[in-house]
Amino acid sequence: MRRVTGGLLGRAKRQFIDDITSDPYLLYILVLAAVMAGFWFWHRIPNFATRDERWRINNPMVAVGFFIDEPGIDSLLQGIAWGRAYGATLYLYGIAIIPVFVVAFFLGQLDAFTAIPGNQSISLWTHWYQMPKWIWTWSLLLSRLTNVVCAVGCVYVLYRIGTTMRDRMTGRLSAILLSLTWGFLISAHEVGEDIPALFFLLLVVYCGLRYAHTGDKAIYLAGCASGGIAIAFKLTAGASVLLLGIAYLLYVRNAGTAWREALIRPRLITVGIVVGAALIVIGYPSVFAPGLDRLLDRMQRGLVNKSQSYGWRVEPSWWWILRGYLHGLGGALFVAGCCSVVVSLPRLRERTQESDAIVLSIVGIGAYLSVYAGWSYVRTHHLLPTFPLLILLLAAVLTRFYNRNRSLASPLIVVLLLSSSVYAGVGVLGYATQPRNEATEWLRADASSNATVETYLMDPQEAAVPHGMRINHPNYRETPVDGKTIRMSSPEWVLAMPHRCPTYIELTFPRALQYLAPDDRNARTTVLSDPRLTDYYRNLLAGDRYPYTVAATFGPRPSFLDGKSEDSRLPELVRVGVVPWTIQYGDPQDMGIDQYTVILKRTGSCPPQDDTD
């Protein structure tokens, strides 16, 4: 096995060197991918871009914290079991932040990891604040850079697939278009499992395409290994199994020998299953702590939760899928991709490497869409694995068209590249001007050292607060009233604001400002329907009951605050295909409108009011 692995890695290295030296454009394409995926990659630091990003960084920290507190295998396993170590991201980002652990050791700050034994036992705010700022900063920087490297790797592997499928022009077009795909760049900017899983999924497609024409057993086993690792990163990469099965059958069709000899390879199939399954199990570190139950539980919850309504917006699955494609690809690239699928269908009858690649791409896209059709809502990053497959089909169609009629194909390719460049470019530039970042910098510059900001968010990831600033938040439910400290429920705590009288109050959408949304708005939920809180937030903004005035606002203002109705389905779908900074995920982790922030500043004293009744 070691000899096979070393041989494959040697072949991959030689192939990469050959591609770089033979194709004068490849290096520039990879640089483009690195620039687009890495532009302003430090956004939101030392805060998190998404909730998932926090857990992916936190998982190895918790495990190391347990180990430092009581060195030994048992404590390490306990730390893994305590955290949310769902898959191979613990390995990847644990390795990425090794320098942080080393520096903390030399600075004598390892207690920063042991002081927070488990994120479930404390508030998210406390968890964020107790960790030194430099640890969050460098952990996020190193982990995001690791993700950017994986993104560039995805671009190169897609180049290899396109080149193997047809020629280098197909490979170049595929790589360039993926580098300009906004949905791909979103995931590249955030620590997570999507980009690493996509990298290994594309390796599965590449190995499957190679095996379909060569029958090389080592290549097939490499595909099984890549599929196992992909699934260890993300369960939906289970499409790898189907892709390898199709590749196996394609070789039977293409083989010059008797079909029985190509079909009946029991040893190859057995070894492939063992390799893939072993890497899936090894890839879930929590399996070594509580056992296989954690992996099975994760799979079950993934299946059950996706079929249930998320709650804040109810739409049919086709609407979520269409919206995700328009947002992730942009209108022009999405339309071109759909057309390429239709144009590619007649070529399925051929027995060429191009037709094999078309089969693998269409099967892969169909597999994912058939799964998502049963989900109650689909985010853009769920569709990510289908983006490069759709782009591959489009690149092959454009190359064929270019070879037949350059005068017509050239302007079409230019228009497609320009429109994709503008859409993705505007999206990437938005990372440098995020409303939450701007609000954070405003507070850092305006607030005095003893100032306090009050926010009504449970999660610091959704807030715009400098790390280390004094803060009131819903996790602290104890408020001094008439010389006594009383514990309150969350609504009562919010309404008791005059007793705390903070320097600043931060209102955000979603959450606080969502109470002011009309009852028929899709995002409205029963959780956000307390009339007392609705009056409280309305009076705060009006400035006629509390001694606060609006000092600054950041981000696009929700239309309902001005009494305007929301876009209906069709205008919204058109908008997401034209404007990249709309909703990225399909839930409150979004940027765009969901980063609207209002900062109110105290202008006088706060006489206590009877607001807790």
Side-chain angles (χ1 to χ4, degrees):
M1 181 63 71
R2 184 181 303 176
R3 184 182 303 173
V4 172
T5 303
L8 288 171
L9 292 176
R11 288 162 63 179
K13 179 181 178 181
R14 289 191 296 272
Q15 183 65 69
F16 178 74
I17 294 174
D18 178 66
D19 286 333
I20 290 292
T21 55
S22 302
D23 191 337
Y25 301 102
L26 178 58
L27 183 59
Y28 296 104
I29 294 173
L30 296 180
V31 170
L32 171 66
V35 170
M36 296 296 288
F39 179 80
W40 220 268
F41 71 94
W42 54 88
H43 66 105
R44 298 287 289 142
I45 288 176
N47 209 328
F48 315 104
T50 66
R51 298 181 182 92
D52 288 349
E53 186 173 60
R54 173 180 56 241
W55 303 130
R56 302 307 174 257
I57 294 291
N58 186 65
N59 288 342
M61 288 184 177
V62 171
V64 169
F66 270 82
F67 180 79
I68 293 172
D69 190 50
E70 186 180 343
I73 297 298
D74 290 340
S75 62
L76 180 62
L77 294 178
Q78 186 181 0
I80 292 174
W82 191 284
R84 298 175 53 154
Y86 289 152
T89 51
L90 183 139
Y91 300 124
L92 180 64
Y93 299 119
I95 293 172
I97 63 177
I98 285 178
V100 174
F101 296 129
V102 173
V103 173
F105 171 77
F106 283 109
L107 293 179
Q109 296 186 14
L110 287 176
D111 59 342
F113 305 107
T114 60
I116 307 176
N119 51 40
Q120 294 97 331
S121 62
I122 60 174
S123 78
L124 297 175
W125 281 99
T126 304
H127 177 231
W128 187 55
Y129 267 132
Q130 284 186 1
M131 190 71 72
K133 178 181 177 181
W134 76 266
I135 290 182
W136 286 132
T137 298
W138 283 101
S139 296
L140 284 165
L141 286 174
L142 293 171
S143 298
R144 287 183 184 172
L145 279 175
T146 300
N147 206 47
V148 169
V149 171
C150 291
V152 176
C154 291
V155 171
Y156 173 68
V157 176
L158 188 61
Y159 168 86
R160 272 277 85 229
I161 297 172
T163 302
T164 304
M165 173 188 186
R166 185 177 175 88
D167 52 26
R168 290 199 186 273
M169 181 177 177
T170 305
R172 292 189 203 112
L173 271 176
S174 301
I176 293 173
L177 287 172
L178 183 60
S179 301
L180 299 176
T181 298
W182 173 230
F184 171 73
L185 298 176
I186 292 170
S187 295
H189 274 78
E190 296 152 7
V191 179
E193 61 271 18
D194 293 287
I195 293 296
L198 178 63
F199 174 76
F200 287 101
L201 180 66
L202 290 176
L203 282 178
V204 170
V205 176
Y206 178 61
C207 292
L209 183 59
R210 291 284 307 279
Y211 176 80
H213 265 259
T214 65
D216 189 326
K217 297 180 180 179
I219 291 291
Y220 187 82
L221 292 178
C224 293
S226 299
I229 298 173
I231 296 171
F233 273 108
K234 198 170 182 68
L235 290 176
T236 51
S240 303
V241 178
L242 178 61
L243 291 173
L244 287 170
I246 295 298
Y248 190 89
L249 295 177
L250 287 174
Y251 173 67
V252 174
R253 185 187 71 168
N254 298 330
T257 58
W259 68 269
R260 290 180 180 272
E261 181 180 344
L263 177 63
I264 303 175
R265 291 186 165 188
R267 183 177 178 182
L268 178 64
I269 295 175
T270 302
V271 174
I273 292 174
V274 170
V275 169
L279 286 172
I280 293 173
V281 173
I282 295 172
Y284 273 80
S286 55
V287 169
F288 301 106
L292 283 171
D293 290 346
R294 177 68 68 89
L295 173 58
L296 296 176
D297 178 67
R298 171 61 176 153
M299 295 173 67
Q300 181 181 8
R301 286 191 297 109
L303 293 173
V304 173
N305 291 346
K306 301 304 182 183
S307 61
Q308 297 176 349
S309 173
Y310 186 74
W312 75 276
R313 180 157 191 171
V314 179
E315 300 286 357
S317 58
W318 68 262
W319 185 90
W320 286 110
I321 293 172
L322 179 58
R323 186 175 184 275
Y325 272 117
L326 286 169
H327 180 244
L329 297 174
L333 188 56
F334 171 66
V335 172
C338 291
C339 293
S340 69
V341 173
V342 176
V343 173
S344 299
L345 290 177
R347 306 190 75 86
L348 293 176
R349 295 171 296 182
E350 301 175 359
R351 292 194 178 187
T352 63
Q353 230 166 359
E354 182 177 352
S355 67
D356 290 344
I358 293 173
V359 170
L360 291 173
S361 298
I362 291 178
V363 168
I365 294 171
Y368 276 101
L369 292 183
S370 63
V371 171
Y372 296 149
W375 288 16
S376 61
Y377 89 114
V378 182
R379 306 178 190 174
T380 299
H381 76 91
H382 290 143
L383 298 169
L384 175 64
T386 67
F387 292 167
L389 300 179
L390 198 63
I391 286 171
L392 185 67
L393 296 176
L394 175 59
V397 169
L398 291 174
T399 301
R400 291 197 301 271
F401 188 29
Y402 180 82
N403 290 336
R404 289 199 303 266
N405 193 331
R406 293 192 178 187
S407 60
L408 290 178
S410 294
L412 178 62
I413 294 173
V414 169
V415 169
L416 186 60
L417 290 177
L418 284 177
S419 61
S420 299
S421 298
V422 171
Y423 187 77
V426 171
V428 167
L429 287 174
Y431 281 106
T433 57
Q434 289 192 55
R436 285 181 190 148
N437 281 349
E438 294 172 347
T440 302
E441 292 305 315
W442 187 92
L443 277 173
R444 183 178 287 114
D446 190 79
S448 60
S449 58
N450 62 345
T452 301
V453 60
E454 181 156 309
T455 178
Y456 304 113
L457 295 164
M458 302 288 288
D459 192 335
Q461 177 261 318
E462 295 176 330
V465 177
H467 190 280
M469 186 176 180
R470 295 174 58 185
I471 186 168
N472 297 332
H473 57 84
N475 294 110
Y476 288 139
R477 306 271 172 78
E478 296 180 350
T479 292
V481 178
D482 298 331
K484 297 180 180 180
T485 299
I486 62 175
R487 187 166 182 81
M488 304 174 172
S489 66
S490 183
E492 292 171 338
W493 181 89
V494 172
L495 296 172
M497 180 276 296
H499 295 283
R500 297 183 297 272
C501 202
T503 314
Y504 301 94
I505 295 178
E506 182 176 293
L507 302 181
T508 59
F509 181 85
R511 302 298 183 258
L513 295 177
Q514 209 164 342
Y515 281 91
L516 305 180
D519 292 336
D520 60 350
R521 189 174 187 273
N522 281 333
R524 186 81 169 183
T525 66
T526 56
V527 178
L528 303 179
S529 59
D530 191 319
R532 298 174 302 166
L533 294 181
T534 300
D535 291 341
Y536 170 73
Y537 293 127
R538 183 176 290 113
N539 290 328
L540 264 180
L541 290 175
D544 54 4
R545 184 175 183 185
Y546 302 100
Y548 287 88
T549 58
V550 175
T553 60
F554 305 90
R557 181 181 173 89
S559 58
F560 64 78
L561 290 178
D562 299 320
K564 299 178 181 178
S565 60
E566 296 295 306
D567 289 339
S568 59
R569 283 181 179 176
L570 183 58
E572 183 178 355
L573 289 175
V574 172
R575 183 172 182 271
V576 298
V578 176
V579 182
W581 279 95
T582 51
I583 291 182
Q584 293 189 12
Y585 292 86
D587 65 14
Q589 294 178 188
D590 301 338
M591 301 184 182
I593 189 175
D594 283 344
Q595 286 207 10
Y596 182 66
T597 303
V598 179
I599 298 179
L600 300 103
K601 189 172 184 178
R602 192 180 69 220
T603 56
S605 60
C606 296
Q609 302 179 34
D610 190 15
D611 289 328
T612 60
D613 294 338

